[in-house]
Amino acid sequence: MLPSPVRLVLVLCLGLAGCGGGSTPPPWRADGIGGDFYGGPDGESGQEVRVGLLLPLSGDQRPVGEDALRAAEMAIFDRGDNDVVLLPRDSGASSSRAAEAARSLVADGAQLLIGPLYSEGVSAVADQRGTAPVLAFSNNASVARPGVWLLGFRPEEQVTRVVEYARSQGLSTFSGYGPGDAFGSLTLASLRASVARAGGRLQAIETYQAGSQPSASLVRPLTQPGRPDAVFIADGGVQARALAATVAYAGAEDEAPEANPPAEPGTSRFLGTQRWLADPELGSEPGLTGSWLAAPSPEALDAFVQRFEDAFGTRPADPIIASLAYDAAAMAAELSLSDQGYNDAALTDPLGFYGASGVFRLRPDGLTDHGLAVLEVTPSGPVQIEDAPSSLPVPEEAGLGALLPTQ
């Protein structure tokens, strides 16, 4: 077994000369989905280690599933000699199909299950996994449990990261705006907790109907004296642009009556999550210029996407899912060479692992901590202004069962 500090940096070697012989992996199958995939033919032990892949290989999400499979194969190739056999199964679009695929993999001797994509499927697979650990792609913390890990980037850790950065830059008062749906409620609750932990002060939480544009009256406090230093928008990029534009409109209205007190200098800083990145027009709203959000390192993710394109001739349909599939398979290949294999102690190594989108660590409670970068919105798009950490803080008593802090 490799010592933990070594494993941290050897789980994958993105773009480094000498990794995988200094070459990019070929597309072993033209369609990328047929049959099982065997790892290094000269594995160290000669004993097969079967790893199941639960991916949507049919239906609307087929392109995402196929690219995730290719990414997993690339990870096994990059690791070099190993005995991992990838067993891909179609998890379909329903929880029953995912459960059926999981039963099939367990019957075929899978020692670890990677996937599925969505929280409904995760719950179904968890009931069929037997003793095999699960590394799923969801970010819905409600379906996590010991033995069932969620690799997805949770909104809670994004909120924590950007709030801590804002505090480090001298911002102390916060307000939150978001839709009254599940995502908005979760994210605004995370804002409340994060501001308290960071020693800031929360002035207000305001909600609006999901999919609607916040009214001028709702955002008017952001144009008045005493407005907060930072305003967190728990919504997507399109809605964030609309809210920023509404604030500008309300501010213009307030300038007309002379009876109104003069506005304080400057404006509130908007904060957000990686949901904003799905909006290609994010930088077109002047009110969002200078906003901050937390997300996986664009540099690390771009390097992975370029290697994927070099290997397969196309960019992944969903780079985040593909990168998580790579990380899970790379970790599976690395741990397959250890004496511990896929037991809880090995999977929850406090030092974590380094993957396609940066450092990450599985927690005993089924959640995953990620090292996130901070981005700033500019007219030409988001740019990284603070690097993601290269390691995660290790608790003083990091043992099995310890709840590791969210990064």
Side-chain angles (χ1 to χ4, degrees), residues 148-229:
V148 179
W149 282 276
L150 306 183
L151 299 180
F153 297 91
R154 294 174 291 113
E156 302 97 309
E157 58 183 342
Q158 298 168 47
V159 174
T160 295
R161 177 70 165 105
V162 76
V163 166
E164 289 179 347
Y165 178 78
R167 289 289 292 123
S168 74
Q169 301 303 302
L171 280 59
S172 61
T173 57
F174 297 78
S175 286
Y177 286 75
D181 57 11
F183 179 84
S185 298
L186 170 66
T187 307
L188 292 175
S190 300
L191 175 66
R192 188 182 300 276
S194 297
V195 169
R197 283 196 303 267
R201 183 169 63 88
L202 188 65
Q203 291 189 188
I205 292 287
E206 300 287 352
T207 60
Y208 48 86
Q209 184 177 352
S212 68
Q213 181 171 328
S215 65
S217 61
L218 189 70
V219 303
R220 182 155 280 112
L222 304 184
T223 70
Q224 303 293 321
R227 58 178 167 261
D229 298 329

Side-chain angles (χ1 to χ4, degrees), residues 3-101:
S4 295
V6 177
R7 186 186 324 135
L8 177 66
V9 295
L10 291 187
V11 168
L12 82 157
C13 311
L14 285 177
L16 300 179
C19 292
S23 60
T24 54
W28 296 274
R29 297 189 299 273
D31 62 3
I33 63 171
D36 300 339
F37 171 74
Y38 287 76
D42 300 319
E44 296 187 7
S45 70
Q47 184 69 37
E48 286 185 3
V49 178
R50 297 189 166 204
V51 174
L53 294 175
L54 294 153
L55 301 169
L57 300 176
S58 62
D60 293 343
Q61 293 299 308
R62 176 175 175 169
V64 175
E66 290 180 348
D67 286 343
L69 175 55
R70 293 186 179 104
E73 293 174 344
M74 188 167 76
I76 301 301
F77 178 94
D78 282 352
R79 181 55 188 83
D81 291 347
N82 65 85
D83 301 302
V84 168
V85 180
L86 294 179
L87 309 176
R89 296 292 185 274
D90 184 8
S91 60
S94 66
S95 57
S96 60
R97 182 68 177 273
E100 179 184 351

Side-chain angles (χ1 to χ4, degrees), residues 266-282:
T267 58
S268 301
R269 176 90 60 171
F270 289 115
L271 310 176
T273 71
Q274 71 178 68
R275 264 199 173 191
W276 288 12
L277 301 180
D279 177 18
E281 302 298 323
L282 187 66

